[in-house]
């Protein structure tokens, strides 16, 4: 069972994931990505989907044409865990 993030890791979030923000009213983080068009957004989503499968950790997300909103939280833990941080960092690396 994966544990929720401890206070020290939470305090470091702004530093480790500067592009991500807390979701209001939830123990979750979000980031929005914008691309040139739908094709690029969808290609990004395909890469993230493969990454998520590899990590066995899956995003909540929404796509509107060239925009992709990703929300990460750990359902098994009822909130943020290190698995969200790991996936967010891997997604950031993909996005460049
Ligand atoms: N993704 C997310 N975001 N949270 C989880 O708790 C989770 C998951 N659990 N992907 C995984 C799958 C779990 O259900 C499987 C059985 O490992």
């Amino acid at each position: 069972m994966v544990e929720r993030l401890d206070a020290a890791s939470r305090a470091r979030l702004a530093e480790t994931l500067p592009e991500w923000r807390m979701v209001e009213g939830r123990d979750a983080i979000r980031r929005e990505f914008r691309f040139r068009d739908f094709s690029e957004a969808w290609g990004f989503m395909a890469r993230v989907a493969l990454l998520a499968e590899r990590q066995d950790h899956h995003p909540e997300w929404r796509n509107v044409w060239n925009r992709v909103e990703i929300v990460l939280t750990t359902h098994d833990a009822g909130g943020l865990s290190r698995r969200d941080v790991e996936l967010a960092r891997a997604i950031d690396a993909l996005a460049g």
Side-chain angles (χ1 to χ4, degrees):
M1 182 68 171
V2 59
E3 302 287 326
R4 285 172 71 170
L5 279 188
D6 61 22
S9 310
R10 286 169 188 273
R12 278 197 305 272
L13 277 181
E15 200 181 303
T16 45
L17 297 172
E19 308 292 338
W20 296 73
R21 298 285 175 272
M22 290 300 297
V23 176
E24 217 180 297
R26 289 188 69 186
D27 194 22
I29 51 174
R30 74 176 287 280
R31 181 176 173 186
E32 186 170 291
F33 298 86
R34 275 172 196 262
F35 299 91
R36 248 197 338 217
D37 53 25
F38 176 76
S39 177
E40 282 197 7
W42 188 255
F44 169 71
M45 291 176 81
R47 291 195 296 280
V48 171
L50 295 175
L51 189 61
E53 264 305 87
R54 265 204 313 279
Q55 296 194 2
D56 191 30
H57 196 64
H58 302 88
E60 298 174 16
W61 54 6
R62 177 167 186 262
N63 162 237
V64 179
W65 188 52
N66 69 333
R67 283 184 285 134
V68 179
E69 181 202 27
I70 299 185
V71 171
L72 298 178
T73 190
T74 302
H75 305 118
D76 295 342
L80 282 174
S81 76
R82 60 168 179 75
R83 306 187 74 193
D84 300 303
V85 177
E86 285 162 12
L87 184 55
R89 290 179 70 110
I91 291 171
D92 283 351
L94 259 188

